[in-house]
């Protein structure tokens, strides 16, 4: 911005205060700044500290842009039309800086979840987790790590950006937990028995884990009142998943169709919803996995009526302002697609599903980053 400042001062010195060329020249500078920001943003969003610094820088750049526009309007005798043009030119750049500040702040979740993954993924849903961790110790490890990073976020970022980070952590926590479920299902090769030695106890642990995570975020509602809506929207996925676990295990007598429809409302993709439910059945009651696939195939019309497939989902997932790892549908699709196990479906159904995944994930061309193989990506 120092170079841009020199250019702007030169323009103001050389051009008359009413000159339309003044607005045009400033517009050229703003356009160059816009293009440079588009080109270079991701270079500055590599790790936790870089993301925090980039977010702060983008906010300051936005503030500087506003100051420049205000100075030109105060010091120049622009016509109403020229002043409006100047504001329109600045608005695009301001929007870009503001959006990138949020993007950088929220991308801190990638660095935050790296130690979480290293600490708990291997043991999560294992026998010790099921039989010995009666206080949901692994979920406590997750939220304690989030809390450790919170102090740094509060020190490095302003309050608005901290809230954006916490919102990202809600989505990342849900995506992380769901992704590990899918990974464990992919690793489960026994088609006759449950992955768990005690389904009832395992489901109790899952409910407890979800409760621990939800309670942590609910404890932040007084500081960030609007966070309640974010928690409700995101944790609805895990609430439905645990109910599907209970139905699949024969513990709950609720109608599986009700929860298939609830999941479709959240995910808005027939294939992803179907495979998610199938993978849950595969974990606790693999003998019924084929039957639940056939049941869901017969529900396609109902599911479309409740929540049609979101045809814009892939383009939104690829949007420059979409932070990697925060879209539920995209992350479920990636982890379902990575599973190598043979599902109990006819080959034509498998081919159809594979085509749907390929198309939805852009032929595997999802947004790549240095974090692409992590659970939270």
């Amino acid at each position: 911005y120092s170079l841009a400042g020199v250019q702007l001062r030169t323009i103001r010195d050389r051009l008359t205060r009413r000159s339309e060329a003044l607005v045009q020249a400033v517009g050229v500078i703003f356009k160059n700044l816009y293009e440079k920001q588009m080109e270079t943003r991701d270079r500055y969003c590599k790790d936790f500290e870089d993301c925090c610094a980039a977010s702060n820088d983008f906010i300051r750049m936005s503030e500087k842009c506003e100051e420049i526009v205000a100075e030109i309007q105060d010091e120049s005798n622009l016509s109403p039309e020229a002043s409006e043009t100047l504001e329109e030119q600045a608005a695009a750049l301001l929007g870009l800086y503001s959006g990138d500040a949020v993007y950088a702040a929220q991308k801190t979740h990638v660095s935050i979840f790296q130690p979480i993954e290293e600490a708990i993924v291997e043991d999560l849903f294992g026998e010790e987790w099921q039989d010995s961790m009666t206080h949901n110790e692994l979920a406590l490890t997750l939220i304690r790590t989030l809390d450790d990073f919170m102090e740094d976020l509060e020190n490095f970022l302003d309050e608005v950006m901290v809230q954006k980070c916490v919102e990202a952590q809600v989505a990342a926590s849900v995506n992380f937990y769901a992704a590990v479920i899918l990974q464990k299902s992919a690793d489960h090769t026994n088609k006759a028995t449950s992955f768990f030695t005690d389904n009832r106890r395992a489901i109790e642990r899952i409910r407890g884990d979800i409760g621990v995570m939800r309670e942590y975020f609910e404890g932040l509602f007084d500081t960030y009142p609007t966070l309640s809506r974010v928690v409700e929207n995101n944790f609805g996925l895990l609430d439905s998943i645990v109910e599907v676990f209970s139905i699949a295990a024969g513990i709950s007598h609720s109608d599986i169709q009700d929860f298939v429809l609830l999941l479709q409302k959240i995910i808005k993709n027939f294939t992803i919803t179907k495979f998610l439910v199938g993978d849950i059945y595969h974990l606790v009651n693999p003998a019924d996995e084929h039957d639940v696939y056939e049941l869901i195939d017969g529900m396609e019309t109902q599911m479309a009526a409740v929540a049609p497939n979101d045809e814009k989902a892939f383009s939104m997932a690829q949007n420059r302002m979409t932070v990697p790892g925060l879209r539920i549908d995209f992350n479920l699709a990636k982890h379902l697609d990575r599973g190598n196990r043979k599902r109990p479906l006819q080959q034509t159904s498998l081919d159809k599903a594979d085509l749907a995944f390929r198309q939805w994930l852009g032929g595997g061309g999802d947004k790549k980053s240095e974090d692409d193989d992590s659970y939270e990506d």
Side-chain angles (χ1 to χ4, degrees), residues 301-362:
T301 301
Q302 288 176 266
M303 293 168 73
V306 169
N309 282 358
D310 184 355
E311 301 299 336
K312 297 181 179 179
F314 173 70
S315 61
M316 286 299 298
Q318 296 295 310
N319 187 284
R320 183 178 180 278
M321 291 300 181
T322 299
V323 181
L326 299 187
R327 280 189 66 98
I328 286 173
D329 51 4
F330 198 64
N331 285 280
L332 289 175
K334 288 170 68 175
H335 287 92
L336 285 165
D337 185 55
R338 286 173 179 170
N340 294 319
R341 73 178 183 86
K342 176 77 171 178
R343 289 183 170 86
L345 290 167
Q346 292 183 352
Q347 190 59 45
T348 53
S349 296
L350 287 169
D351 290 343
K352 181 180 177 181
D354 183 65
L355 177 61
F357 277 125
R358 293 293 95 201
Q359 290 174 336
W360 204 86
L361 292 171

Side-chain angles (χ1 to χ4, degrees), residues 20 22 62 81 97 156 158 167 178 200 219-220 258 283 336:
E20 297 299 323
L22 172 63
S62 176
E81 293 79 9
Y97 286 148
F156 294 157
D158 66 43
E167 291 174 2
R200 185 178 295 274
L220 301 175
D258 293 339
L283 272 173
L336 285 165

Side-chain angles (χ1 to χ4, degrees), residues 96-236:
L96 183 66
Y97 286 148
S98 298
D100 282 354
V102 173
Y103 177 96
Q106 292 194 321
K107 201 184 174 192
T108 57
H109 85 86
V110 175
S111 298
I112 291 170
F113 270 81
Q114 285 174 349
I116 292 172
E117 179 181 334
E118 292 168 2
I120 72 174
V121 163
E122 185 175 349
D123 295 329
L124 191 58
F125 306 123
E127 287 191 27
E128 185 178 359
W129 165 85
Q130 173 191 285
D131 297 330
S132 304
M133 296 186 180
T134 57
H135 299 290
N136 302 98
E137 286 85 348
L138 297 183
L140 288 171
T141 297
L142 186 152
I143 65 166
R144 286 167 183 159
T145 305
L146 296 180
D147 203 45
D148 288 343
F149 276 98
M150 180 63 75
E151 183 176 353
D152 292 332
L153 292 171
E154 291 172 343
N155 287 334
F156 294 157
L157 299 173
D158 66 43
E159 186 174 339
V160 173
M161 289 298 120
V162 174
Q163 174 163 342
K164 294 298 183 181
C165 290
V166 175
E167 291 174 2
Q169 290 173 12
V170 173
S173 298
V174 169
N175 282 329
F176 170 81
Y177 202 83
V180 181
I181 288 173
L182 296 178
Q183 183 58 58
K184 301 300 181 180
S185 182
D187 293 342
H188 183 48
T189 58
N190 193 314
K191 298 179 180 180
T193 61
S194 172
F195 175 82
F196 305 108
T197 58
D198 186 328
N199 280 341
R200 185 178 295 274
R201 184 177 295 172
I203 292 168
E204 288 175 0
R205 293 286 180 269
I206 293 172
R207 288 188 190 278
D209 287 346
I210 296 169
V212 166
M213 292 187 289
R214 185 193 289 270
E215 184 178 356
Y216 169 73
F217 291 114
E218 288 175 347
L220 301 175
F221 286 178
D222 288 342
T223 306
Y224 309 109
T226 59
L227 189 63
S228 60
R229 177 177 53 83
V230 178
V231 170
E232 189 63 29
N233 289 343
N234 281 274
F235 273 83

Side-chain angles (χ1 to χ4, degrees), residues 32 63 68 78 131 136 145 170 180 246 262-263 267 326 372:
N32 290 337
E63 293 170 348
I68 290 170
L78 298 176
D131 297 330
N136 302 98
T145 305
V170 173
V180 181
S246 296
L262 281 174
L263 287 169
I267 299 167
L326 299 187
D372 188 62

